[in-house]
Amino acid sequence: MTIYFYKVWQPFGCFSNFSTHGIEIQGTYWSTVEHYYQAQKFVGSVDAVIIPVIRAAKTPEEAAALGRCTSRRLRSDWDLVKISVMREAILKKFLTHLDIQATLLSTGNEILVENSPTDYFWGCGVDKTGHNHLGKVLMSVREEIRNLQLSNAISPKICPQEYKV
């Protein structure tokens, strides 16, 4: 069974970048993955001054609107790095918040699909022909967390503090 997610108040809403599961990356706290992702669009660009404004946005919707403003110039390598930026944030989110990590792992090997009717890159789009990169990132993170748990479970426990991840 494929698992579709989109709005934070729907089942599996914790998979949304708008869910209120903050992350800390490189010593900076971000209220949501959406805040972090939108701000990263401007790192090193002439419009980098918008980054603290995005970080301070009261809601993920506000952060998204600030990051999607077409009058600002994105960093030159954005198309090359945006998936890895998203993956870093999502991995951090699910390693930080064990409750939603359990939800992610509970999906087994099911296909995860962001059911966005308008986003054909991160989601599946209204006609389900989109690339679903967000779902793919989540499935990749799910697998990485499983592998981390497995490697911790089979590591020798002679001196446990040496084997913590």
Side-chain angles (χ1 to χ4, degrees), residues 23-30 36 85 88-90 92-93:
I23 57 172
E24 186 174 318
I25 296 182
Q26 297 175 350
T28 301
Y29 179 80
W30 301 88
Y36 176 77
V85 165
E88 174 188 25
I90 289 176
K92 187 66 166 182
K93 174 181 168 178

Side-chain angles (χ1 to χ4, degrees), residues 152 155-165:
N152 283 340
S155 296
K157 300 299 181 191
I158 299 166
C159 189
Q161 63 271 21
E162 294 178 13
Y163 294 97
K164 291 182 181 174
V165 174

Side-chain angles (χ1 to χ4, degrees), residues 25-41:
I25 296 182
Q26 297 175 350
T28 301
Y29 179 80
W30 301 88
S31 300
T32 67
V33 167
E34 191 68 18
H35 283 78
Y36 176 77
Y37 176 79
Q38 294 298 336
Q40 296 313 295
K41 291 178 174 182

Side-chain angles (χ1 to χ4, degrees), residues 38-59:
Q38 294 298 336
Q40 296 313 295
K41 291 178 174 182
F42 304 100
V43 170
S45 79
V46 296
D47 287 317
V49 295
I50 195 65
I51 293 172
V53 177
I54 294 171
R55 184 172 166 261
K58 291 188 185 342
T59 66

Side-chain angles (χ1 to χ4, degrees), residues 8-90:
V8 295
W9 47 266
Q10 295 173 328
F12 300 100
C14 63
F15 297 168
S16 167
N17 292 335
F18 286 58
S19 74
T20 54
H21 295 92
I23 57 172
E24 186 174 318
I25 296 182
Q26 297 175 350
T28 301
Y29 179 80
W30 301 88
S31 300
T32 67
V33 167
E34 191 68 18
H35 283 78
Y36 176 77
Y37 176 79
Q38 294 298 336
Q40 296 313 295
K41 291 178 174 182
F42 304 100
V43 170
S45 79
V46 296
D47 287 317
V49 295
I50 195 65
I51 293 172
V53 177
I54 294 171
R55 184 172 166 261
K58 291 188 185 342
T59 66
E61 292 82 6
E62 184 183 331
L66 289 165
R68 293 175 182 153
C69 178
T70 57
S71 66
R72 293 189 187 93
R73 284 171 281 177
L74 305 179
R75 60 194 275 181
S76 61
D77 65 347
W78 184 240
D79 283 335
L80 299 173
V81 302
K82 64 184 174 184
I83 292 175
S84 63
V85 165
M86 180 68 78
R87 190 179 192 291
E88 174 188 25
I90 289 176

Side-chain angles (χ1 to χ4, degrees), residues 42-147:
F42 304 100
V43 170
S45 79
V46 296
D47 287 317
V49 295
I50 195 65
I51 293 172
V53 177
I54 294 171
R55 184 172 166 261
K58 291 188 185 342
T59 66
E61 292 82 6
E62 184 183 331
L66 289 165
R68 293 175 182 153
C69 178
T70 57
S71 66
R72 293 189 187 93
R73 284 171 281 177
L74 305 179
R75 60 194 275 181
S76 61
D77 65 347
W78 184 240
D79 283 335
L80 299 173
V81 302
K82 64 184 174 184
I83 292 175
S84 63
V85 165
M86 180 68 78
R87 190 179 192 291
E88 174 188 25
I90 289 176
L91 178 61
K92 187 66 166 182
K93 174 181 168 178
F94 285 94
L95 289 176
T96 301
H97 302 280
L98 299 182
D99 56 333
I100 63 171
Q101 181 186 113
T103 301
L104 180 61
L105 294 174
S106 77
T107 63
N109 292 320
E110 300 298 338
I111 296 171
L112 305 177
V113 177
E114 187 194 24
N115 199 20
S116 170
T118 58
D119 192 333
Y120 285 78
F121 183 82
W122 293 111
C124 66
V126 71
D127 61 2
K128 309 292 189 254
T129 63
H131 295 282
N132 187 39
H133 285 294
L134 183 55
K136 291 173 184 175
V137 166
L138 282 161
M139 290 182 284
S140 169
V141 164
R142 178 179 65 192
E143 186 64 24
E144 182 170 345
I145 291 171
R146 276 191 200 134
N147 290 337

